[in-house]
Amino acid sequence: MNICLGMRFMGASDSLLCPAVVGKQSPNEKVKTLYIEILTMPGTPDWKEFCEEIAMEWCKIGGKKGVKPLIHWAKEVEPVPNLREYMWENNRENMEKFLGHLSGKVDMTKKLFFNDFLTHMFTDPRQLTDHSSS
């Protein structure tokens, strides 16, 4: 398979959806986050299966203070199985804060985000379970 792996460390962030915000205990704490991206050429055979396999291993990683890895929103993450559930389980507090800032300002029944992936990601899986059982 033809792949390219890129990695870089970045400092902490105050952005609620940034992977670098999780695990930061105080504004002065020096937290570093490792960003990893694996790329290939379009049409590479078995790419989706490879992504799923890597994602399953990635989700097992435990960082400093038990913090789990989070996605970089701007990268190719659609092939990751059960991603919405994983993100809500490991970043629920910040996801809820983010959506809380939008509450009353944005009609959440409209397409808030301009693609189906983000609309899907920002739907709390617990709401789907609760809603379908009634």
Side-chain angles (χ1 to χ4, degrees):
M1 178 178 291
N2 58 339
I3 62 171
C4 172
L5 178 113
M7 300 186 307
R8 70 185 186 276
F9 282 96
M10 295 183 66
S13 171
D14 292 328
S15 173
L16 291 173
L17 299 181
C18 177
V21 76
V22 177
K24 184 178 171 188
Q25 302 298 315
S26 71
N28 298 325
E29 187 174 6
K30 304 287 186 206
V31 175
K32 298 284 185 221
T33 300
L34 175 63
Y35 287 78
I36 301 171
E37 180 177 25
I38 304 172
L39 303 169
T40 191
M41 298 296 293
T44 298
D46 303 319
W47 175 245
K48 185 174 189 271
E49 293 79 11
F50 175 76
C51 288
E52 289 174 1
E53 187 177 328
I54 292 293
M56 298 306 286
E57 292 301 315
W58 174 78
C59 290
K60 294 176 187 175
I61 296 171
K64 185 178 179 182
K65 301 174 188 170
V67 173
K68 300 291 268 176
L70 300 175
I71 65 166
H72 185 306
W73 293 93
K75 303 301 179 185
E76 180 187 7
V77 293
E78 287 91 343
V80 178
N82 303 312
L83 182 61
R84 175 177 50 195
E85 291 75 10
Y86 177 87
M87 287 299 293
W88 276 91
E89 179 182 324
N90 293 290
N91 198 24
R92 176 170 298 282
E93 181 180 346
N94 288 339
M95 299 278 275
E96 289 175 345
K97 281 182 190 176
F98 174 76
L99 293 173
H101 287 302
L102 300 177
S103 181
K105 299 175 186 126
V106 175
D107 182 354
M108 298 297 276
T109 62
K110 304 258 192 255
K111 282 231 184 232
L112 171 61
F113 302 99
F114 297 108
N115 64 51
D116 292 336
F117 170 73
L118 290 177
T119 300
H120 172 80
M121 287 301 294
F122 289 120
T123 302
D124 184 342
R126 292 185 313 184
Q127 290 176 341
L128 298 175
T129 305
D130 296 344
H131 187 60
S132 64
S133 63
S134 47

